[in-house]
């Protein structure tokens, strides 16, 4: 999908040319709190003057002094080219999301292999599951082909094994996905199971499921 470079009061952004091509993980820029409505820092209550300048957090749009809004952190969900100024609370959230963009998102786009069962069928099909390059679809390829729009997914339930009442390690072995068919209120269910015969791919499948769990949050 084609992208364009745009400048906003917050900084340079690389965004899709067409709004319909936007990633479902994206966020809109927030409106800034007007300067006249913000005589004091909204964190520490310090009064703004010629020495104490006000700054707007690029994620929440609130006004802060330099001390409370000094961090410049990547904000991929808003497509900023460079790290942007954020308050401490927003910076913490953005740092966690950057890890998702740097690691888990790549895992989802690389894909993994699962046995996929549709609805109440007793038959499963071996399919490669991956996130599309524009992050808008979950693509399943085998003898059949499915493209599930991410925004139509209503439920993601990760299936695990190894848990005991006394505690212990668990590992992801599958997933139940529910989504709405476009143009209909009908809900379809798919079950994904990591194949036991593909031991070399178990770690890859588990990593993909863990990334999908984070994406659903």
């Amino acid at each position: 999908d084609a992208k364009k470079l745009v400048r906003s009061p917050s900084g340079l952004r690389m965004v899709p040319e067409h709004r319909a091509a936007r990633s479902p993980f994206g966020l809109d820029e927030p409106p800034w709190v007007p300067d006249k409505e913000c005589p004091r820092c909204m964190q520490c209550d310090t009064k703004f003057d010629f020495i104490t300048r006000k700054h707007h957090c690029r994620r929440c749009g609130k006004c802060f002094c330099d001390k409370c809004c000094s961090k410049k952190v990547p904000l991929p969900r808003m497509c900023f080219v460079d790290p942007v100024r954020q308050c401490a609370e927003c910076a913490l959230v953005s740092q966690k999301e950057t890890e998702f963009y740097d690691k888990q998102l790549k895992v989802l786009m690389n894909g993994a292999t699962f046995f996929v069962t549709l609805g109440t069928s007793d038959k499963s099909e071996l399919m490669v599951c991956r996130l599309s390059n524009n992050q808008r679809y979950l693509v399943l390829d085998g003898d059949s082909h499915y493209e599930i729009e991410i925004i139509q997914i209503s439920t993601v339930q990760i299936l695990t094994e190894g848990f005991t009442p006394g505690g212990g390690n668990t590992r992801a072995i599958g997933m139940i996905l529910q989504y709405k068919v476009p143009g209909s209120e009908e809900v379809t269910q798919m079950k994904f199971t990591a194949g036991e015969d593909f031991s070399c791919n178990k770690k890859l499948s588990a990593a993909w499921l863990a990334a999908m769990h984070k994406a659903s949050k």
Side-chain angles (χ1 to χ4, degrees):
D1 295 314
K3 295 187 177 182
K4 60 182 179 180
L5 190 66
V6 298
R7 181 181 293 278
S8 74
S10 300
L12 287 173
R13 301 170 66 217
M14 185 65 75
V15 300
E17 284 194 355
H18 304 290
R19 188 173 180 84
R22 289 183 53 187
S23 166
F25 300 112
L27 290 175
D28 290 326
E29 286 187 78
W32 283 10
V33 174
D35 287 349
K36 63 182 180 181
E37 296 179 11
C38 189
R40 295 176 177 273
C41 174
M42 300 179 78
Q43 177 64 40
C44 69
D45 205 38
T46 297
K47 186 177 181 180
F48 295 123
D49 53 30
F50 289 111
I51 297 176
T52 305
R53 304 285 301 278
K54 66 181 63 175
H55 302 278
H56 285 86
C57 172
R58 272 49 175 174
R59 185 179 181 112
C60 67
K62 295 179 181 178
C63 284
F64 301 92
C65 66
D66 183 68
K67 183 179 179 181
C68 294
C69 195
S70 61
K71 294 186 178 181
K72 289 193 174 182
V73 180
L75 187 45
R77 292 188 71 185
M78 290 186 191
C79 303
F80 283 109
V81 174
D82 300 308
V84 290
R85 188 185 292 271
Q86 299 177 57
C87 66
E89 184 177 347
C90 286
L92 185 61
V93 175
S94 293
Q95 285 169 344
K96 292 180 180 179
E97 290 176 350
T98 298
E99 180 183 348
F100 170 75
Y101 270 76
D102 288 345
K103 296 179 181 180
Q104 281 80 25
L105 198 58
K106 292 178 181 177
V107 171
L108 290 175
M109 294 171 73
N110 286 336
T113 303
F114 297 93
F115 284 105
V116 179
T117 306
L118 181 63
T120 57
S121 173
D122 57 358
K123 294 182 180 180
S124 60
E125 181 179 339
L126 188 64
M127 309 188 83
V128 175
C129 308
R130 64 178 180 84
L131 187 67
S132 64
N133 290 336
N134 62 11
Q135 304 164 14
R136 296 184 64 233
Y137 295 92
L138 187 62
V139 181
L140 290 75
D141 277 311
D143 290 336
S144 305
H145 176 81
Y146 297 96
E147 291 188 6
I148 302 171
E149 196 168 6
I150 295 298
I151 61 173
Q152 298 293 339
I153 295 175
S154 55
T155 304
V156 175
Q157 179 187 353
I158 303 300
L159 305 175
T160 61
E161 70 174 10
F163 176 79
T164 60
N169 294 328
T170 63
R171 67 183 183 97
I173 59 170
M175 172 178 72
I176 293 177
L177 195 74
Q178 292 183 329
Y179 64 96
K180 288 186 178 180
V181 178
S184 170
E185 291 301 313
E186 178 186 352
V187 175
T188 300
Q189 178 172 297
M190 279 186 172
K191 182 178 180 181
F192 297 68
T193 307
E196 292 298 324
D197 295 335
F198 296 87
S199 57
C200 61
N201 291 325
K202 280 183 180 179
K203 288 185 178 180
L204 181 62
S205 298
W208 194 92
L209 290 167
M212 191 66 185
H213 182 57
K214 287 198 173 184
S216 68
K217 293 183 176 181

